[in-house]
Amino acid sequence: MKGSKDPQFKNLMAMYVGCKDVDEETRLLIDFFYHFQTEVSVIKEVYFGGFKSYTTFSEDALNDSFKNALLKIARIVVADEINHNIRGIHPKYNGGKLTATWQVDTLIEALYFSIFYMRNGEMYKECENPNCKRDRFFLVEATRTNKHYCCKQCRNAAGAQRYRNRQL
């Protein structure tokens, strides 16, 4: 088989044969890449956005079981990515205010953490009233492009401020 002497391929063969006591997700990954490389094409090089193989690769060579396994692998990768990037987040209790909050150290943690507060078809927007006394961010349907304020009071206050600024 063309590419069978590649060190990466040899390592994969060793894992396929030797790694029997691994978790289900790892076994799925090993099995997928083993069968892909023995039945479709041995991978020569992986780079951002694609890969090169020792023989010509055609997507038509992927049957439904390969496609289903690839979807499972994609879910595993997404879950690992999210879990890795929220690992530093932890609850924190403020004894002075007697409230619980979340300790988030980096922006990337905050971005991944926001996934847990999103609902289907909804998103958070920042209130456009510069003097907003509420949480400043409010939940709105993703299709509502005309909602700029968290409440009527903020809309009215911002309108009054704009009017006063025009009078100057």
Side-chain angles (χ1 to χ4, degrees), residues 3-15:
S4 61
K5 297 198 187 300
D6 186 290
Q8 308 283 358
F9 181 75
K10 288 180 180 180
N11 287 339
L12 180 62
M13 285 296 188
M15 288 189 327

Side-chain angles (χ1 to χ4, degrees), residues 23 34 40 44 65 72 97 104 116 123 131 143 146 151 154 157 159:
D23 61 277
Y34 170 80
V40 180
K44 183 177 188 176
S65 66
K72 289 178 185 175
K97 294 182 181 178
V104 181
F116 295 98
M123 61 186 245
N131 301 317
T143 56
N146 62 344
C151 62
C154 277

Side-chain angles (χ1 to χ4, degrees), residues 13 21 24 26 30 47 62 69 72 79 93 95 106 111 114 121 123 126 129-131 133 147:
M13 285 296 188
D21 296 329
E24 185 179 332
T26 304
I30 293 169
Y47 53 89
L62 299 178
K72 289 178 185 175
Y93 190 75
T106 65
L111 291 171
S114 71
M123 61 186 245
E126 186 174 7
N129 177 9
N131 301 317
K133 301 290 188 232
K147 186 149 173 77

Side-chain angles (χ1 to χ4, degrees), residues 35-140:
H35 288 290
F36 180 87
Q37 294 197 57
T38 57
E39 298 170 25
V40 180
S41 182
V42 176
I43 296 172
K44 183 177 188 176
E45 177 186 345
V46 177
Y47 53 89
F48 185 75
F51 67 94
K52 290 181 183 175
S53 58
Y54 284 96
T55 59
T56 304
F57 170 74
S58 170
E59 289 183 24
D60 297 332
L62 299 178
N63 61 28
D64 285 342
S65 66
F66 273 117
K67 291 175 184 176
N68 290 334
L70 199 53
L71 286 173
K72 289 178 185 175
I73 289 169
R75 289 183 175 146
I76 292 168
V77 170
V78 168
D80 283 350
E81 175 72 12
I82 291 170
N83 289 330
H84 174 78
N85 283 295
I86 62 170
R87 73 188 182 287
I89 298 172
H90 55 277
K92 185 176 180 180
Y93 190 75
N94 183 330
K97 294 182 181 178
L98 299 177
T99 59
T101 61
W102 290 98
Q103 178 70 38
V104 181
D105 296 327
T106 65
L107 178 60
I108 194 78
E109 286 178 349
L111 291 171
Y112 278 99
F113 190 55
S114 71
I115 293 170
F116 295 98
Y117 288 100
M118 293 172 64
R119 299 182 192 144
N120 290 339
E122 294 180 324
M123 61 186 245
Y124 282 94
K125 289 179 84 173
E126 186 174 7
C127 182
E128 291 185 15
N129 177 9
N131 301 317
C132 180
K133 301 290 188 232
R134 289 167 183 73
D135 286 338
R136 195 107 175 113
F137 291 92
F138 62 99
L139 194 60
V140 64

